[in-house]
């Protein structure tokens, strides 16, 4: 495409008219004389939100969305699809849920007794934190 044809194509794109000039200078003058108000840049706004390739009207978009789901709402578990299953209990091989262990009394002396240590082990095993065997 030569410069004259490129300018004619530009003129047509900007004005939707066919340039009649036969030289670069003539087409440039036609562009200057027929340049649209606003600089030739127009944005078509689609207030119906139904046309492809056009900018959506912000108010129309907001109004359309306002009629959809409420901003806050709740669902029961049975209404939720693809809800992942709750994790099972922890094992020695797999992470999972554990219960809080029962409180165990602090050691009475400097060194825990066998009974105090066994009490701690039992609480950890009963809560599922430690394997039973």
């Amino acid at each position: 495409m030569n410069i004259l044809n490129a300018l004619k194509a530009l003129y047509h794109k900007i004005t939707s008219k066919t340039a009649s000039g036969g030289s670069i200078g003539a087409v440039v003058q036609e562009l200057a004389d027929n340049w649209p108000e606003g600089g030739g840049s127009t944005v078509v706004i689609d207030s119906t939100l139904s046309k492809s390739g056009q900018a959506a009207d912000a108010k129309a978009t907001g109004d359309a969305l306002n009629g959809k789901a409420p901003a806050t709402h709740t669902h029961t578990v049975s209404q939720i699809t693809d809800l992942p299953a709750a994790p099972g209990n922890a094992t020695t091989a797999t992470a999972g849920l554990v219960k809080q262990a029962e409180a165990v009394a602090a050691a009475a002396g400097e060194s825990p007794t066998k009974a105090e240590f066994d009490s701690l082990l039992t609480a950890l095993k009963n809560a599922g934190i430690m394997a039973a065997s």
Side-chain angles (χ1 to χ4, degrees):
M1 176 180 287
N2 64 34
I3 295 174
L4 178 59
N5 288 337
L7 285 171
K8 285 183 176 185
L10 178 64
Y11 180 84
H12 180 59
K13 183 77 172 174
I14 292 172
T15 66
S16 299
K17 300 175 187 173
T18 303
S20 60
S23 68
I24 293 172
V27 175
V28 170
Q29 186 61 54
E30 282 184 72
L31 273 168
D33 293 342
N34 295 294
W35 196 263
E37 285 192 37
S41 175
T42 58
V43 175
V44 178
I45 304 294
D46 174 20
S47 61
T48 66
L49 304 178
S50 63
K51 297 176 184 162
S52 178
Q54 292 184 355
D57 181 288
K59 182 177 181 329
T61 302
D63 291 347
L65 290 175
N66 283 337
K68 303 300 177 196
T72 58
H73 60 279
T74 59
H75 293 280
T76 63
V77 171
S78 65
Q79 294 173 315
I80 302 171
T81 58
D82 297 326
L83 184 66
N89 290 334
T91 68
T92 56
T94 307
L97 296 176
V98 294
K99 300 176 279 188
Q100 185 176 25
E102 292 179 18
V104 176
E110 187 67 28
S111 298
T113 66
K114 179 177 180 343
E116 291 169 334
F117 183 74
D118 286 345
S119 177
L120 175 60
L121 287 178
T122 300
L124 294 174
K125 289 176 183 177
N126 288 344
I129 298 171
M130 179 182 282
S133 56

